[in-house]
């Protein structure tokens, strides 16, 4: 048989074959220049035809289509078809897709390109990348070097933090996920593609802290919600309509919910509030108060409950109140079947997938397992309280997922394997639930990083097998990165902390290789490249509050340390003034900022005035001989200083919460005055006139998380610009004169540091950034013409 006959024999036949051939024909209509919009039908349906034809790959769905695609989400198609390939354009798009629903085509193209380079060509310099990856013709971005690998399991981005989750399967076999948020709303989400199903339910006037799902015989699913407004309500999630009010709104919060099948095989709901009052409801009888647990009210510790069945099918209600755990008859709560003393108060309680067993998550970061005979196991999860638990089965393994701070610990209730760590979230995890995906148990999680994430069956098996195989810990996370470039001809070096156990790796960007490792003993709290008369120098802050220096020319540690701060140094900003002095500004947890002479290694100024920690510093000089020094921090103010007089005027009150970052543009274009940018907890960027110490224009808005880093620059003939990086997993590029966002770059993971550097091309700027997903160096085209 010829090769042609073999390929034809492998092609799908019947209806799938028709769809595959349609996808192949539609793919021919996609222009490869990246600038020409595909026809509307192609944009909307090409990927769907490829999926139905079993041909969902880069050949049938070319990368040039993805920024224009308007049909069903690629992520969901890949998940449902099992066609995920780590090195494909489709997988790269699925990684950033949740962040780009409202982004323009240039932003979508640039984000796709960044994701693909990180997944397919990690640590490969631009010269060795294919041209379509490094710099596609239509893209305003060129990837110079990338070690940026964001998580691939982001299900959805949400605008409001989620506090509760519940999963269920419809009578038609469709899996759904409900998310209750801080503003009292409930979103129904497809756990395969992350899309919203129906309209948001405006459920409560307070946080939706509890969500449970159940089924009413002959009537379909019901969703039960409990809130800080004191109400418990039952909802029809299909229609978004209220079924009944279980508990009236009151001045005390709802602590927990449980469901079970009563003696009439009807759905029953049990709720407990902050005064330990227990109420039961079913649709036939309505609500009735069962009891009030003895003790002081309101409770200072959470009252948690869950329902479970033993091996004989008998139903029980488990209630954890302070340090006591009781198993009761849910039809007669005064009938206590068992009582135990807990090691410490409980924050979460759930039935496991084993009959007759419950798991309790404690304030000390442990999880305990309990049966009718008492405690059977204890698992340490972390130092933070265990706020949520979920039970699920993966193959023959009965698992408990428990969250502590940013991490989720997954462990087997039979203790046959070591615990596995799921650590993709970048902020505290707030909710967990089991959900069915493709017929198997999966784990959904919500976090204060405003993402919903999904670990499907394959993901869970992989992480469990890894923990069982070698028990090795994950490599250290990148925490900081700074680029050094003295002029257009010198080699560009990039320093990464957290990337190796030596402390700091110094990379040659052009060659894509590690130049050397700089031992620091511990991850540095801050880093910076600076100029001294003797040459280029890497500086970093050590845990002992000193600032160390490393000479790039001799590649040796300098014996002199900058000593003076008495607490952790948070930020460093180097400056070479117009008269040739090489200076360094540092900010610390000791509420002070200090200015150093790097050539002499001496302290020039010791500035105090902040009432809380100094989190950010900036220093800049212009050709008129003007120098600016700025500090900002937890007290929400920016202070300006000069060497001769110290504080300059009153502090700038930014009204942005904690200020995480500041930047200065000393020589702007377009008639703008020298200005400063402040950004922080509220996600806005504010510009300040440095000559008149007043706000400049309206705040820049768009980020949905705290802004951690900014960079400012001017390009001759083009204008002045600003880049901002946020916890929301995006970088935004702004025109500072107009306040317009020119480009949204989806990074898929928070960026912690950001810096801008000159490019040989006068219309471009080199942008370097780093965070928990790694680091990358990009070149951006900013000529809007």
């Amino acid at each position: 048989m010829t090769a042609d006959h073999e390929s034809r024999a492998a092609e799908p036949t019947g209806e799938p074959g028709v769809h595959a051939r349609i996808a192949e024909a539609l793919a021919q209509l996609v222009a490869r220049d990246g600038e020409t919009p595909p026809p509307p039908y192609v944009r909307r349906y090409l990927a769907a035809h490829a999926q139905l034809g079993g041909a969902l790959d880069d050949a049938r769905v070319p990368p040039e289509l993805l920024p224009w695609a308007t049909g069903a989400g690629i992520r969901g198609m890949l998940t449902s078809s099992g066609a995920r390939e780590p090195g494909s354009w489709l997988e790269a798009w699925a990684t950033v897709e949740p962040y780009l629903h409202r982004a323009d085509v240039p932003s979508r193209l640039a984000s796709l390109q960044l994701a693909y380079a990180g997944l397919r060509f990690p640590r490969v310099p631009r010269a060795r990348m294919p041209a379509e990856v490094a710099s596609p013709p239509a893209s305003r971005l060129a990837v110079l070097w990338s070690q940026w690998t964001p998580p691939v399991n982001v299900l959805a981005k949400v605008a409001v933090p989620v506090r509760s989750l519940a999963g269920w399967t419809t009578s038609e076999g469709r899996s759904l996920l409900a998310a209750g948020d801080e503003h009292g709303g409930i979103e129904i989400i497809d756990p395969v593609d992350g899309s919203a199903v129906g309209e948001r339910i405006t459920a409560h006037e307070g946080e939706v802290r509890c969500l449970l799902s159940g089924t009413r015989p002959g009537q379909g699913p019901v969703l039960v919600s409990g809130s800080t407004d004191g109400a418990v309500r039952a909802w029809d999630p299909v229609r978004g309509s209220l079924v009944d009010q279980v508990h009236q709104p009151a001045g005390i919060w709802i602590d927990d919910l449980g469901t079970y099948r009563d003696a009439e095989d009807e759905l029953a709901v049990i709720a407990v509030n902050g005064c330990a009052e227990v109420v039961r409801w079913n649709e036939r009888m309505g609500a009735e108060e069962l009891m009030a647990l003895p003790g002081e009210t309101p409770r200072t510790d959470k009252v948690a409950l869950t329902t479970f069945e033993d091996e004989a099918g008998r139903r029980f209600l488990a209630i954890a109140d302070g340090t006591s755990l009781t198993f009761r008859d849910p039809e007669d709560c005064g009938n206590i079947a068992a009582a135990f003393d807990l090691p410490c108060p409980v924050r979460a309680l759930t039935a496991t997938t084993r009959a007759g067993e419950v798991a309790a998550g404690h304030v000390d970061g442990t999880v305990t397992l309990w049966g009718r005979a008492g405690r059977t196991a204890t698992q340490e999860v972390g130092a933070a309280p265990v706020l949520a638990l979920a039970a699920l089965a993966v193959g023959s393994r009965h698992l408990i997922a428990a969250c502590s701070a940013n991490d989720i610990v997954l462990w087997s209730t039979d203790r046959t394997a070591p615990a596995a760590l799921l650590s993709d979230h970048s902020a505290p995890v707030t909710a967990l639930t089991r959900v069915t995906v493709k017929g198997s148990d999966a784990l959904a999680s919500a976090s204060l990083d405003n993402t919903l994430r999904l670990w499907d069956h394959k993901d869970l098996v992989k992480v469990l097998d890894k923990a069982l195989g070698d028990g090795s810990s994950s490599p250290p996370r990148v925490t900081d990165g700074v680029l050094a470039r003295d002029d257009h001809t010198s080699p560009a070096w990039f320093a990464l902390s957290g990337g190796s156990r030596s402390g700091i790796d110094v990379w040659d960007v052009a060659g894509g290789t590690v130049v050397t490792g700089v031992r620091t003993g511990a991850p540095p709290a801050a880093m910076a490249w600076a100029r001294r008369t003797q040459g280029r120098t890497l500086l970093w802050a050590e845990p002992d509050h000193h600032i160390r220096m490393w000479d790039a020319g001799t590649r040796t540690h300098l014996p002199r340390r900058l000593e003076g701060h008495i607490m952790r140094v948070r930020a460093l900003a180097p400056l070479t003034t117009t008269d040739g002095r090489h200076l360094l500004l540092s900010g610390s947890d000791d509420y002070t900022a200090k200015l150093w002479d790097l050539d002499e290694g001496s302290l020039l100024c010791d500035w105090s005035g902040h009432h809380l920690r100094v989190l950010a510093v900036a220093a800049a000089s212009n050709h008129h001989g003007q120098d600016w020094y700025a500090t900002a921090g937890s007290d929400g103010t920016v202070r300006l200083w000069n060497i001769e007089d110290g504080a300059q005027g009153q502090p700038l009150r930014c009204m942005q919460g904690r200020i995480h970052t500041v930047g200065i543009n000393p020589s702007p274009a377009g008639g703008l005055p020298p200005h400063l940018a402040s950004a922080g907890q509220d996600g806005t960027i504010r510009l300040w006139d440095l000559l008149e110490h007043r706000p400049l224009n309206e705040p820049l808005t768009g980020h949905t998380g705290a802004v951690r880093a900014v960079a400012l620059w001017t390009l001759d003939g083009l204008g002045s610009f600003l880049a901002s990086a946020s916890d929301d997993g995006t970088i935004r590029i702004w025109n500072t004169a107009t306040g317009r966002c020119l480009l949204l770059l989806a990074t898929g993971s928070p960026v912690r540091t950001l810096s801008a550097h000159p490019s040989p091309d006068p219309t471009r700027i080199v942008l370097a950034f780093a965070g928990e997903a790694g680091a990358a160096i990009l070149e951006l085209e900013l000529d809007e013409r």
Side-chain angles (χ1 to χ4, degrees), residues 426-519:
S426 58
V429 179
T430 54
L432 299 171
T433 193
R434 179 188 68 84
V435 64
T436 301
V437 174
K438 295 178 64 177
S440 300
D441 279 4
L443 179 67
S445 61
S447 164
L448 293 181
D449 63 13
N450 282 15
T451 65
L452 301 182
R453 298 178 190 249
L454 184 76
W455 283 267
D456 62 18
H457 180 81
K458 289 182 179 179
D459 295 332
L460 296 174
V461 169
K462 183 178 179 179
V463 73
L464 289 167
D465 288 347
K466 181 179 179 181
L468 184 63
D470 54 25
S472 60
S473 59
S474 300
R477 292 186 175 187
V478 172
T479 56
D480 202 355
V482 289
L483 177 68
R485 171 175 274 156
D486 296 332
D487 51 49
H488 295 337
T489 59
S490 66
W493 283 4
F494 194 61
L496 292 177
S497 67
S500 75
R501 301 191 186 278
S502 64
I504 300 174
D505 284 340
V506 179
W507 288 79
D508 176 358
V509 176
T513 57
V514 176
V515 175
T516 187
V518 181
R519 291 189 302 274

Side-chain angles (χ1 to χ4, degrees), residues 466-759:
K466 181 179 179 181
L468 184 63
D470 54 25
S472 60
S473 59
S474 300
R477 292 186 175 187
V478 172
T479 56
D480 202 355
V482 289
L483 177 68
R485 171 175 274 156
D486 296 332
D487 51 49
H488 295 337
T489 59
S490 66
W493 283 4
F494 194 61
L496 292 177
S497 67
S500 75
R501 301 191 186 278
S502 64
I504 300 174
D505 284 340
V506 179
W507 288 79
D508 176 358
V509 176
T513 57
V514 176
V515 175
T516 187
V518 181
R519 291 189 302 274
T520 61
M527 289 197 311
W529 284 102
R531 290 289 299 170
R532 296 185 307 132
T533 301
Q534 294 87 343
R536 187 165 53 183
T537 304
L538 178 66
L539 304 106
W540 68 93
E542 293 199 322
D544 62 4
H545 325 315
H546 300 153
I547 300 168
R548 295 294 305 269
M549 295 185 284
W550 179 83
D551 185 271
T554 62
R555 301 188 185 182
T556 59
H557 287 76
L558 299 178
R560 180 177 294 167
R561 298 185 299 182
L562 306 181
E563 302 179 7
H565 285 293
I566 61 173
M567 296 182 72
R568 178 168 53 170
V569 175
R570 291 275 189 166
L572 301 173
L575 173 66
T576 298
T577 65
T578 51
D579 59 4
R581 291 178 298 170
H582 303 297
L583 307 178
L584 177 74
L585 179 61
S586 60
S588 166
D589 282 351
D590 62 14
Y591 302 4
T592 71
K594 301 183 188 300
L595 188 66
W596 311 84
D597 185 314
L598 290 179
D599 289 327
E600 300 295 331
S602 59
L603 179 64
L604 295 178
C605 300
D606 189 350
W607 294 323
S608 60
H610 285 283
H611 302 300
L612 294 171
R613 299 175 299 169
V614 177
L615 302 178
V617 297
S621 181
N622 66 15
H623 59 277
H624 296 300
Q626 294 172 299
D627 301 330
W628 284 278
Y629 306 95
T631 61
S634 294
D635 61 6
T637 67
V638 173
R639 289 181 175 266
L640 302 172
W641 313 85
N642 62 39
I643 295 177
E644 293 78 18
D645 306 318
Q648 287 186 296
Q650 295 298 312
L652 306 178
R653 302 194 178 279
C654 302
M655 306 298 290
Q656 295 171 287
R658 291 190 301 276
I659 304 300
H660 295 299
T661 180
V662 289
I664 295 173
N665 189 333
S667 304
L672 290 173
H675 54 267
L676 173 142
S678 65
Q681 203 63 31
D682 73 346
T684 66
I685 303 103
R686 291 179 179 266
L687 301 176
W688 302 86
D689 185 327
L690 286 174
L691 300 180
E692 298 187 9
H693 294 190
R694 62 174 179 83
L696 185 67
N697 302 329
E698 293 297 316
L700 306 178
T701 60
H703 285 298
T704 58
V707 176
R708 299 288 177 177
V710 295
L712 296 91
W713 67 92
T714 295
L715 293 179
D716 291 340
L718 295 180
S720 294
F721 304 90
L722 181 149
S724 57
S726 169
D727 284 350
D728 65 9
T730 68
I731 294 173
R732 289 175 178 262
I733 312 299
W734 311 82
N735 182 310
T736 46
T738 63
R740 191 168 78 89
C741 181
L742 305 178
L743 191 72
L744 169 67
L745 188 61
T747 59
S749 184
V751 170
R752 302 303 186 193
T753 60
L754 183 68
S755 58
H757 308 270
S759 167

Side-chain angles (χ1 to χ4, degrees), residues 31-36 64 67-68 105-110 113 131-132 135-142 743 764 781:
R32 295 307 192 259
D33 59 10
E35 294 181 336
T36 305
E64 293 83 3
W68 301 92
V105 170
S107 297
R108 292 157 72 91
L109 175 59
Q113 182 189 345
E132 66 272 15
S135 185
S139 178
R140 299 169 63 181
L141 175 146
L743 191 72
R764 291 176 173 258
E781 170 67 57

Side-chain angles (χ1 to χ4, degrees), residues 15-352:
E15 186 174 332
V18 173
H19 284 291
R21 290 191 291 276
I22 291 174
E24 188 171 351
L26 293 178
Q28 302 303 313
L29 302 178
V30 179
R32 295 307 192 259
D33 59 10
E35 294 181 336
T36 305
Y41 187 90
V42 176
R43 290 185 235 172
R44 186 164 184 81
Y45 295 113
L46 169 54
H49 282 298
Q51 181 194 27
L52 293 172
L56 194 61
D57 54 37
D58 290 347
R60 266 67 166 222
V61 186
E64 293 83 3
L65 168 77
L66 297 174
W68 301 92
T70 58
I74 295 296
R75 185 194 187 285
M77 292 182 181
L78 291 175
T79 301
S80 59
S81 64
R84 309 197 75 145
E85 297 180 16
S88 70
W89 284 99
L90 288 171
E91 180 70 9
W93 179 250
T95 301
V96 296
E97 186 180 31
Y99 300 84
L100 294 168
H101 290 306
R102 294 179 177 86
D104 58 18
V105 170
S107 297
R108 292 157 72 91
L109 175 59
S111 300
L112 170 63
Q113 182 189 345
L114 172 63
Y116 184 74
L119 292 173
R120 184 71 176 84
F121 298 100
R123 301 178 299 279
V124 175
R126 179 183 183 182
R128 299 209 303 268
M129 285 187 203
E132 66 272 15
V133 177
S135 185
S139 178
R140 299 169 63 181
L141 175 146
V143 180
L144 303 185
W145 182 91
S146 176
Q147 191 182 341
W148 187 261
T149 52
V152 297
N153 65 339
V154 175
L155 177 63
K157 280 284 293 179
V158 294
V160 181
V162 168
R163 293 294 181 176
S164 53
L165 292 171
W168 74 96
T169 302
T170 68
S171 57
E172 295 81 19
R174 184 184 184 185
S175 295
L176 293 173
L177 180 68
D181 62 44
E182 285 186 352
H183 292 179
I186 301 173
E187 292 273 8
I188 311 300
I189 296 167
D190 187 319
V192 174
D193 62 18
S195 62
V197 179
E199 297 294 324
R200 178 177 183 269
I201 301 173
T202 304
H204 292 276
E205 295 180 358
E207 292 182 5
V208 182
R209 285 192 176 176
C210 316
L211 271 180
L212 284 177
S213 61
T215 303
R216 296 175 292 164
Q219 299 185 64
V222 64
L223 193 62
V224 185
S225 61
S227 169
T228 55
D229 64 10
V232 178
R233 295 183 173 120
W235 303 89
D236 181 333
V238 176
R239 298 177 176 85
S241 58
L242 183 66
V243 173
D244 202 353
Q245 185 148 273
V246 180
H247 202 290
Q248 299 293 327
I252 196 71
W253 61 91
I254 300 301
D255 251 343
D256 212 350
L257 299 174
T259 62
Y260 69 98
R261 291 283 184 182
D262 64 15
E264 303 294 328
D265 198 34
E266 292 186 348
L267 178 69
V269 176
I270 292 186
V272 62
N273 65 14
C275 288
E277 297 168 338
V278 182
V279 172
R280 180 175 59 200
W281 170 92
N282 70 22
E283 197 166 4
R284 178 172 53 88
M285 301 294 293
E288 60 174 328
E289 186 171 336
L290 296 183
M291 64 175 176
L293 299 173
E296 295 183 359
T297 57
R299 292 292 197 265
T300 55
D301 294 321
K302 178 174 178 174
V303 182
L305 60 80
T306 190
T307 57
F308 67 99
E309 293 185 358
D310 66 7
E311 294 84 348
R314 291 173 295 187
R315 302 178 183 89
F316 291 93
L317 169 66
I319 300 180
D321 182 17
T323 56
S324 69
L325 175 65
T326 56
F327 293 167
R328 303 168 182 261
D329 183 342
E331 301 291 318
D332 179 11
C333 288
N335 182 4
I336 299 177
F340 311 103
D341 292 329
L342 297 169
C344 64
V346 167
R347 296 298 300 273
L349 198 64
T350 189
T352 74

